[in-house]
Amino acid sequence: MPVARPLAAAVALTAVLLAGCSGSDAPPRPTGEVSVATGNRGGVYAVYGGGYADLIDQSLPEATAPVQYTGGSVDNLRRVGAGQARVAFTLADSAADAIAGRAPFSGPVPVVALAALYDNYVQLVVPADSPVRSVADLRGRRVSLGSEGSGTAVIAERILDVATLSADGDVAGERLDVRASASALAEGRIDAFFWSGGLPTAAITELRRTTPIRLVDLGDVVGPLTQSYGDLYTETTVPAVVYGEQSAVSTVSVPNFLVVRPDVPDAEAYWLTRVLFEGQQELIRDHPEARRLDRRTAIATYPLELHPGAERWYRESQP
């Protein structure tokens, strides 16, 4: 069922948080283990999350930040909800399902946001000479829908659904992470794969060096996707320059959030947010998507609430 974005509430929250309340003493720095759940190796979460964990290690000397490489958003949300990871990366649509207790979750998952980070782009990758020109052309083909526990798998199944294709019948669906998907495509074991990630995604860039590929335009599914699943999905474009495409392709984007449980102490949430922003230049060296981090837009975390500790940092960080 579509979910309406509460624009007035978001604007009001922005005004409150950006009004400024500077000069307060910083809370005590956290200690102990602050594990970071990231995503598939070869994807942006793994790179961005690894860099963020390094920042925590460097900036919070009494804390350690082991990196967890995971299936992706759904896996991460389950880990945070169960207390198996302290902080995690997730897609907004998976987060919406988590707090509502909708499938693939068996019940509500308690999570709140520290920041909105950047947007993921859905990428449907095929060999350059493939006859596949639209989602409908995937009928009868071998397609990787993303790894188990990934946000990619959630959105891939939704895209197939609005194109009136089933993941278990109309296509021969496989559950591979992005690196395994790239290898399988190069070896001819699959005909296409979905990936939801930032730009560029290393595994796709590496694949292109050895295998001629292209992205399939997804513009025709964006409207039905938004109608069926809500306006967390936005039509956007993958520029041609990203992977050396001959032309840009339309696709759908979804925001990414950094999340924790609501019961994380305010001081810890404050420092996790502060470290993220104060280390932005280091994160940019890890991956260019970190350039999109902006405290003015980072508070736009609908449908998740901001953690009060993160709110404090946003208020006190005003010039």
Side-chain angles (χ1 to χ4, degrees):
M1 178 179 293
V3 181
R5 189 188 304 269
L7 291 177
V11 170
L13 178 59
T14 300
V16 168
L17 294 184
L18 297 186
C21 180
S22 59
S24 300
D25 293 332
R29 297 174 190 241
T31 62
E33 185 175 293
V34 184
S35 51
V36 181
T38 60
N40 296 172
R41 294 180 186 270
V44 179
Y45 280 0
V47 178
Y48 203 136
Y52 178 54
D54 287 343
L55 285 175
I56 295 170
D57 283 333
Q58 295 161 14
S59 305
L60 305 176
E62 300 302 318
T64 60
V67 175
Q68 298 180 10
Y69 297 103
T70 70
S73 294
V74 174
D75 189 4
N76 289 352
L77 288 159
R78 288 175 175 152
R79 291 183 187 218
V80 167
Q84 298 167 346
R86 199 66 170 170
V87 58
F89 290 73
T90 182
L91 285 163
D93 58 340
S94 294
D97 293 336
I99 60 174
R102 294 190 294 261
F105 301 94
S106 57
V109 179
V111 290
V112 293
L114 299 180
L117 302 172
Y118 62 94
D119 287 346
N120 260 20
Y121 292 71
V122 181
Q123 299 157 67
L124 176 55
V125 184
V126 297
D129 60 357
S130 170
V132 174
R133 297 286 170 180
S134 69
V135 176
D137 293 335
L138 294 175
R139 187 181 298 275
R141 302 188 186 276
R142 302 162 298 171
V143 184
S144 174
L145 306 176
S147 59
E148 292 287 350
S150 68
T152 296
V154 171
I155 193 169
E157 290 189 4
R158 289 177 175 178
I159 287 172
L160 292 177
D161 178 60
V162 299
T164 66
L165 297 175
S166 80
D168 300 316
D170 295 319
V171 303
E174 298 195 29
R175 302 289 180 170
L176 306 175
D177 67 27
V178 65
R179 280 188 172 174
S181 294
S183 295
L185 190 79
E187 295 165 7
R189 292 185 282 113
I190 59 173
D191 302 305
F193 70 86
F194 283 94
W195 170 248
S196 177
L199 301 177
T201 290
I204 298 175
T205 300
E206 292 163 9
L207 172 64
R208 185 178 171 275
R209 294 191 184 112
T210 59
T211 305
I213 59 170
R214 60 179 170 80
L215 302 184
V216 176
D217 194 292
L218 300 177
D220 60 340
V221 300
V222 179
L225 192 67
T226 302
Q227 254 188 338
S228 297
Y229 295 103
D231 60 357
L232 290 173
Y233 300 115
T234 304
E235 184 168 7
T236 189
T237 300
V238 179
V241 68
V242 173
Y243 298 120
E245 290 275 312
Q246 292 188 351
S247 59
V249 297
S250 295
T251 190
V252 59
S253 67
V254 190
N256 283 297
F257 301 152
L258 193 63
V259 300
V260 295
R261 283 179 58 96
D263 57 6
V264 164
D266 288 2
E268 183 176 334
Y270 170 96
W271 278 105
L272 289 174
T273 308
R274 178 170 172 171
V275 165
L276 175 72
F277 283 87
E278 291 186 348
Q280 183 176 12
Q281 291 308 309
E282 286 82 359
L283 290 173
I284 290 170
R285 287 192 280 271
D286 292 318
H287 197 281
E289 285 290 11
R291 294 184 186 278
R292 300 183 185 275
L293 186 63
D294 186 327
R295 59 182 170 77
R296 294 169 297 179
T297 56
I299 59 177
T301 59
Y302 172 81
L304 298 187
E305 295 182 2
L306 273 174
H307 192 291
E311 288 187 20
R312 175 177 173 178
W313 183 83
Y314 289 115
R315 288 194 304 268
E316 295 180 1
S317 66
Q318 302 309 301

